[in-house]
Amino acid sequence: MNKKGKNIWVFGDYRNYFQNRVTLQLLSRANDLAPGIGAEVCAVILGHDLDEYVGEYIAHGAQRVYVMDHPELKDYNVERYAHLTARLSAGCSPEVILVGATTFGREFAPSLAKRLKTGLTADCIDLSINDDGLLVQTAPAFGGNLIADIVTPDARPQMATVRPGTFQEIPHDYGAEGQVVRVPLPEDLPVPRVRLVSSQRLPQRAQRLEEAAIVICGGRGMGSKTKFKKLFELARLMEGEVGATRPVVHAKWAGHDALVGQAGRHIRPKILLSFGISGAIQHTAAVSSADFIIAVNKNPHATMMKMADVAVVADANQACSALIRELKRRIRE
Ligand SMILES: Cc1cc2nc3c(=O)[nH]c(=O)nc-3n(C[C@H](O)[C@H](O)[C@H](O)COP(=O)(O)OP(=O)(O)OC[C@H]3O[C@@H](n4cnc5c(N)ncnc54)[C@H](O)[C@@H]3O)c2cc1C
């Protein structure tokens, strides 16, 4: 244990490991935060046959991993996982618990917070430590019209969920070392009220959007569903993924899994092409980690144009067609 005995815990959500990187992203952020409160970064993982994931968490920044490995835990179950994590937390008193805002995490984290009688900030877009050593949980509030910094001054642990894609994972370190603490299952394991009958994996298109190096986002300025479809062709030529704003999803020009923003996906591509998007905070908060932004808009004063590295004043549909033509010409040559 570190000398002050403080811990930041990251809940290990390892399902669909290669697409779902949120645990690794949180381990990375926890490592940024830990020096601010003199804490050790720990992962907590429940399930069965977990050794591979334990190694991965250490290689990605966990200094200690608490492992509850048992056939009884092989299926993700909110009730059991929250019960066992709460019990472990009561014994170890972590300062902070971070959970990925996956479908499971969104159910698990409130259930855990209630058991621990502490607060929880959902869907944070940033985390930091303030001068008082408190976790500052930055999250959209009041329908996304405000970005609020929330702290939990008294109750412990301080808990937050964070969407996949918000932070960048630390590269895999083969030489990293960490302590593995195997936690035995208590005899009074609750009988879950919900039982998994069967499960089926859905296509992971949305995860690919979060991991894509090139994202082409389209907004209402594309004009129509037919014109919007061109973005898919452009994405195919550029080997990228298509994202969309809320009006586009509402108009059914694109599916809900393409929604980028507060109510959808957070992306961090190397290149973001933004076509006909005004740049409302509910959208830009989820794209601001892009390395390089090219925006096309007929209005040079649109917020999206101001935050772009390259701002092209043009008709979005025409610019998209021109780009497609040019790429096809280069492929033919
Ligand atoms: C609680 C809440 C949550 C929300 N969550 C999300 C979210 O997750 N994601 C999201 O995107 N939005 C979200 N919104 C909606 C958000 O506030 C904006 O309304 C939305 O992002 C605007 O989308 P847009 O840029 O496509 O459309 P508009 O704001 O209408 O902008 C269209 C842009 O296209 C430009 N344009 C028009 N014609 C052309 C043309 N021919 N060529 C080039 N440019 C053109 C215009 O100049 C304008 O800048 C949310 C809102 C609320 C209240």
Side-chain angles (χ1 to χ4, degrees):
M1 193 175 282
N2 66 321
K3 57 182 184 301
K4 288 185 192 162
K6 286 185 176 172
N7 289 172
I8 299 178
W9 280 13
V10 173
F11 175 76
D13 186 342
Y14 54 86
R15 295 159 313 143
N16 196 18
Y17 184 78
F18 291 103
Q19 273 84 39
N20 172 14
R21 312 294 284 180
V22 69
T23 306
L24 309 185
Q25 293 157 4
L26 290 178
L27 285 170
S28 164
R29 191 51 162 190
N31 270 276
D32 297 337
L33 302 173
I37 53 170
E40 191 171 59
V41 175
C42 306
V44 179
I45 183 167
L46 293 84
H48 187 44
D49 282 340
L50 298 172
D51 288 352
E52 196 183 332
Y53 302 112
V54 173
E56 283 287 301
Y57 289 167
I58 290 172
H60 283 274
Q63 284 127 40
R64 187 186 320 168
V65 185
Y66 292 99
V67 187
M68 281 187 245
D69 192 328
H70 195 279
E72 281 280 344
L73 299 179
K74 84 174 165 36
D75 297 327
Y76 263 60
N77 180 285
V78 167
E79 212 181 342
R80 276 195 163 166
Y81 278 31
H83 172 84
L84 292 170
T85 310
R87 188 182 270 216
L88 186 63
S89 171
C92 301
S93 307
E95 274 292 297
V96 172
I97 300 183
L98 305 177
V99 180
T102 58
T103 42
F104 179 83
R106 284 189 166 134
E107 203 185 339
F108 165 79
S111 181
L112 179 61
K114 181 176 175 295
R115 284 172 161 83
L116 295 173
K117 296 190 170 53
T118 189
L120 168 72
T121 306
D123 282 354
C124 291
I125 56 171
D126 200 6
L127 299 170
S128 54
I129 300 290
N130 71 10
D131 293 343
D132 299 324
L134 295 172
L135 180 72
V136 180
Q137 304 146 44
T138 304
F142 293 105
N145 292 317
L146 280 178
I147 302 292
D149 285 343
I150 297 166
V151 290
T152 312
D154 301 320
R156 289 292 177 274
Q158 303 159 84
M159 282 190 64
T161 65
V162 179
R163 286 194 192 175
T166 305
F167 301 121
Q168 189 122 39
E169 67 191 66
I170 304 172
H172 195 287
D173 176 2
Y174 290 95
E177 288 183 9
Q179 186 192 358
V180 178
V181 181
R182 298 205 176 265
V183 183
L185 228 56
E187 282 176 9
D188 59 342
L189 193 65
V191 178
R193 284 172 292 182
V194 176
R195 192 169 51 89
L196 181 69
V197 178
S198 70
S199 67
Q200 192 181 347
R201 194 172 292 259
L202 290 171
Q204 287 300 315
R205 186 230 172 277
Q207 291 290 347
R208 289 209 306 273
L209 181 62
E210 281 149 352
E211 303 301 328
I214 298 177
V215 173
I216 293 140
C217 259
R220 190 162 16 209
M222 281 305 290
S224 71
K225 185 170 188 170
T226 311
K227 290 174 182 168
F228 190 89
K229 271 190 190 159
K230 287 185 189 167
L231 297 182
F232 289 99
E233 187 175 4
L234 184 58
R236 188 179 56 76
L237 291 166
M238 295 184 75
E239 296 180 4
E241 290 286 331
V242 174
T245 61
R246 195 165 79 159
V248 163
V249 172
H250 278 183
K252 297 198 172 18
W253 300 353
H256 191 271
D257 62 353
L259 179 62
V260 172
Q262 182 199 323
R265 311 277 158 191
H266 273 240
I267 56 170
R268 45 181 329 114
K270 293 200 184 317
I271 301 174
L272 168 66
L273 281 96
S274 169
F275 287 91
I277 293 178
S278 58
I281 178 83
Q282 294 89 356
H283 178 76
T284 54
V287 304
S288 57
S289 301
D291 286 349
F292 195 82
I293 301 177
I294 303 165
V296 182
N297 198 305
K298 65 179 187 184
N299 175 7
H301 306 295
T303 308
M304 200 67 226
M305 297 285 268
K306 289 185 185 149
M307 73 183 278
D309 298 283
V310 174
V312 182
V313 181
D315 177 86
N317 174 51
Q318 285 177 5
C320 177
S321 300
L323 208 47
I324 290 171
R325 272 197 307 277
E326 179 61 16
L327 285 168
K328 283 186 172 168
R329 188 185 64 76
R330 288 189 185 201
I331 290 166
R332 276 198 305 271
E333 274 176 4

